[in-house]
Amino acid sequence: MDLVIKNGIVVTEGDVMRAEIGIKDGKIAAIAEKIEGGKKTIDAGGNYVMPAGVEVNTHIVAPLFNMVTVDDWYD
């Protein structure tokens, strides 16, 4: 594995569990109770981890402190 995310509470479409996530070549390769041998490790420290979650918050041309945000429908 290139990266292992440990000590998190993993939330998937169908379950919430204490697990580790293994990432290989930029993709989720495993979700398991224990994953060994990651080149890099992130300690999630009991935080919720949502694999493949997408943050969809946008501010479409919103006024903000005498400016206008640059998000548009294309972005």
Side-chain angles (χ1 to χ4, degrees):
M1 294 295 160
D2 299 321
L3 172 66
V4 177
I5 302 172
K6 296 181 172 284
N7 301 318
I9 302 165
V10 177
V11 179
T12 67
E13 179 181 357
D15 207 354
V16 176
M17 63 195 139
R18 288 206 170 267
E20 298 182 356
I21 299 172
I23 299 171
K24 178 85 173 154
D25 298 324
K27 296 182 181 179
I28 297 169
I31 298 176
E33 188 174 315
K34 188 80 172 160
I35 299 174
E36 299 292 338
K39 293 178 185 174
K40 182 177 177 185
T41 300
I42 294 175
D43 183 352
N47 291 300
Y48 289 98
V49 181
M50 298 175 205
V54 176
E55 209 284 77
V56 295
N57 180 38
T58 58
H59 300 273
I60 304 297
V61 191
L64 180 68
F65 304 112
N66 298 323
M67 299 177 289
V68 176
T69 60
V70 296
D71 294 341
D72 59 24
W73 293 110
Y74 178 77
D75 294 327

